[in-house]
Amino acid sequence: MRLRTLSALAGAVTLSLVTGCAQGDGTGASANTVTYWLWDANQLPAYQACAKGFEKENPGLDVKITQLGWSDYWTKLTAGFIAGTQPDVFTDHIQKFGQFADLNVLEPLDDLGIEESDYQPGLAANWIGQDGHRYGAPKDWDTVALFYNEKLAKDAGLTAAELNGLSWNPKDGGTFERAIAHLTVDNLGRRGDEPGFDKNNVKVYGLASNGGGYADGQTQWSPFTGSAGWSYTDKARWGTKYQYDSETFQSVVQWYFGLAEKGYMVPFADYNVQSNQANTQIAAGKAAVTFDGAWMISTYDGFKGMDIGSAVTPAGPTGRRATMMNGLADSITKASENKAGARKWVAYLASDRCQSVVGRYGVVFPATPAGTEAAVAAYEKKGIDVSAFTEPVADTEDFRTFSYPITNYAADVTALMQPAMEDIYGNGAPVSGLDKTNDQINLVLDQ
């Protein structure tokens, strides 16, 4: 199994390896240097500040940070695992974790003393491999909330309290669908819930689009499937069966993408992952609200001439609201040339000493409670209310938080689910087709 996956990865990154070698790209590793990679440019200053603090505590040991864009990051990292040019430490994503663990390219971190109670609930447990070893130190977390254009909401007569009190169901959409319909306006000024509304000529859509949602639907349909009580797999972590054939899941997906058919949500044909994502649609005034993650708070706040508010996700048939709670981690590569220094750096990254510093930059919620508190204070100082993102973590009675599905073959699952979901969204394909897709996915997992 590992050889098959490694061969596939080698084929996918051949060009990247040739390019990297031609440029003389290396790790810069030495006994006095720890190399560290991350992808988020907004977080780079915060981690440069952490590096200064670390170097002060560890004289003679330097941290060399490399920041790459999301796509280049994973391509170059995968190439590095094969070519031996990987960093000592890198920012890891739970969606990639299963594959990296299976390839045996991660160094166990059992000796770092990571305790579940030191971090926000669930974050530490997600980075335990199927072999029982830890491979990631909790770094940060995010949840999903509803961003909305305050002016468009006011014009529609919707208050912040009403937007924070929405509910939905897959039969008639509840107050959420009614709000989305009322926020939708056609070219003649008629709202989606008014007589004569023309769904084929919409000026402002009620709900922006982030696409089909791949296999996880994090900022698309997951708040609805989660609040309907559905789970991706048969177990919270390292599940062996996916459940896209569930009647509950398919009923939610049919209703959700049906919002586009009714003219209330931006059609799939208008979505573009490179140039017309949900935040772009909101910024252009083409849509009134959207679901997006906490990592986008500063982006929405930065829209010129536009006030953007945020509200909690709508309550579902279970009576609870739901959001994915994703958390990144820092991992050490098994082939690191400075494992001793790397361990010191990862332990520092996972500590309040670094996470409180990161929190004060107000760009992300660090994994420790102290780091989270520092971030909330930083956002408040900027005049940004982030309670729609923090409330789900604090209120476990009224909210359900859940993780990315953690399984083997995550890339294969995405490759199968992406076209299936886009076919439903863009072409109106029947949701029953997900039965076959689910069988194919589970066949892959059985290997």
Side-chain angles (χ1 to χ4, degrees):
M1 179 173 65
R2 181 166 296 134
L3 288 176
R4 184 196 70 81
T5 308
L6 187 56
S7 297
L9 285 174
V13 300
T14 298
L15 180 61
S16 297
L17 284 174
V18 172
T19 302
C21 292
Q23 294 175 342
D25 187 18
T27 63
S30 74
N32 299 321
T33 301
V34 176
T35 54
Y36 179 53
W37 288 9
L38 51 79
W39 66 76
D40 190 346
N42 292 328
Q43 294 189 49
L44 180 58
Y47 285 99
Q48 288 173 331
C50 279
K52 289 183 179 179
F54 173 78
E55 290 167 353
K56 186 175 181 179
E57 288 189 15
N58 297 271
L61 192 57
D62 299 323
V63 177
K64 179 183 177 182
I65 302 178
T66 298
Q67 183 269 320
L68 299 163
W70 172 266
S71 296
D72 290 340
Y73 181 89
W74 297 111
T75 299
K76 192 168 184 179
L77 182 63
T78 303
F81 285 137
I82 300 169
T85 57
Q86 70 287 311
D88 295 308
V89 182
F90 70 99
T91 300
D92 206 347
H93 193 290
I94 201 69
Q95 196 177 36
K96 309 288 185 179
F97 171 44
Q99 184 179 39
F100 290 156
D102 180 56
L103 288 171
N104 197 30
V105 295
L106 303 179
E107 180 74 8
L109 305 179
D110 304 303
D111 59 340
L112 292 189
I114 301 295
E115 298 290 343
E116 175 73 26
S117 59
D118 291 336
Y119 304 93
Q120 299 290 2
L123 297 183
N126 281 350
W127 297 92
I128 303 295
Q130 295 182 82
D131 59 4
H133 292 297
R134 168 170 300 286
Y135 293 101
K139 179 185 190 68
D140 57 34
W141 62 270
D142 56 67
T143 51
V144 173
L146 188 72
F147 287 97
Y148 63 92
N149 182 313
E150 292 183 357
K151 182 182 184 304
L152 294 181
K154 183 178 180 181
D155 290 346
L158 291 167
T159 66
E162 288 173 319
L163 290 170
N164 274 288
L166 298 175
S167 61
W168 77 279
N169 66 77
K171 293 182 179 179
D172 63 16
T175 58
F176 173 79
E177 181 171 333
R178 291 198 286 275
I180 296 303
H182 195 61
L183 285 163
T184 303
V185 182
D186 70 14
N187 287 342
L188 294 179
R190 294 169 298 203
R191 295 189 177 275
D193 56 355
E194 293 177 345
F197 167 71
D198 185 357
K199 69 176 184 178
N200 297 314
N201 291 283
V202 177
K203 181 181 180 181
V204 179
Y205 291 93
L207 182 61
S209 169
N210 259 321
Y214 302 98
D216 57 83
Q218 181 180 19
T219 59
Q220 297 87 1
W221 38 262
S222 76
F224 301 105
T225 54
S227 59
W230 177 82
S231 297
Y232 296 96
T233 57
D234 55 348
K235 294 188 291 184
R237 300 177 181 88
W238 303 111
T240 58
K241 298 291 182 183
Y242 274 85
Q243 302 182 132
Y244 298 119
D245 59 348
S246 158
E247 181 179 347
T248 297
F249 177 77
Q250 293 183 13
S251 68
V252 174
V253 167
Q254 183 171 6
W255 164 78
Y256 175 76
F257 289 127
L259 295 174
E261 173 61 27
K262 295 173 182 177
Y264 305 156
M265 180 167 70
V266 173
F268 180 66
D270 289 0
Y271 168 77
N272 186 294
V273 69
Q274 300 296 333
S275 60
N276 198 31
Q277 297 187 55
N279 67 91
T280 310
Q281 297 157 24
I282 296 292
K286 296 297 184 181
V289 310
T290 191
F291 293 98
D292 222 330
W295 63 91
M296 294 294 290
I297 291 173
S298 296
T299 298
Y300 284 94
D301 183 64
F303 292 160
K304 293 183 179 180
M306 189 177 292
D307 292 324
I308 304 294
S310 58
V312 294
T313 57
T318 61
R320 301 172 76 192
R321 305 175 190 279
T323 171
M324 181 180 287
M325 184 179 179
N326 186 33
L328 305 180
D330 289 305
S331 294
I332 298 176
T333 59
K334 200 173 189 68
S336 165
E337 296 183 25
N338 188 358
K339 290 183 181 178
R343 274 182 154 73
K344 290 181 180 180
W345 172 233
V346 170
Y348 188 83
L349 288 169
S351 72
D352 277 335
R353 302 195 304 286
C354 174
Q355 299 211 0
S356 293
V357 168
V358 174
R360 288 196 288 272
Y361 277 76
V363 294
V364 69
F365 295 116
T368 66
T372 297
E373 290 175 8
V376 171
Y379 281 121
E380 288 179 350
K381 190 174 181 179
K382 296 178 182 180
I384 303 174
D385 178 9
V386 295
S387 58
F389 298 92
T390 57
E391 188 177 347
V393 179
D395 184 358
T396 57
E397 181 176 347
D398 294 328
F399 290 83
R400 176 195 177 197
T401 58
F402 53 92
S403 173
Y404 259 99
I406 303 172
T407 68
N408 291 327
Y409 299 107
D412 300 278
V413 175
T414 297
L416 288 165
M417 280 296 289
Q418 180 177 352
M421 298 302 280
E422 291 179 354
D423 197 23
I424 295 170
Y425 184 5
N427 302 317
V431 294
S432 58
L434 292 171
D435 289 350
K436 181 179 179 180
T437 305
N438 195 71
D439 288 342
Q440 293 172 324
I441 289 171
N442 287 337
L443 185 62
V444 171
L445 257 65
D446 283 341
Q447 294 184 72

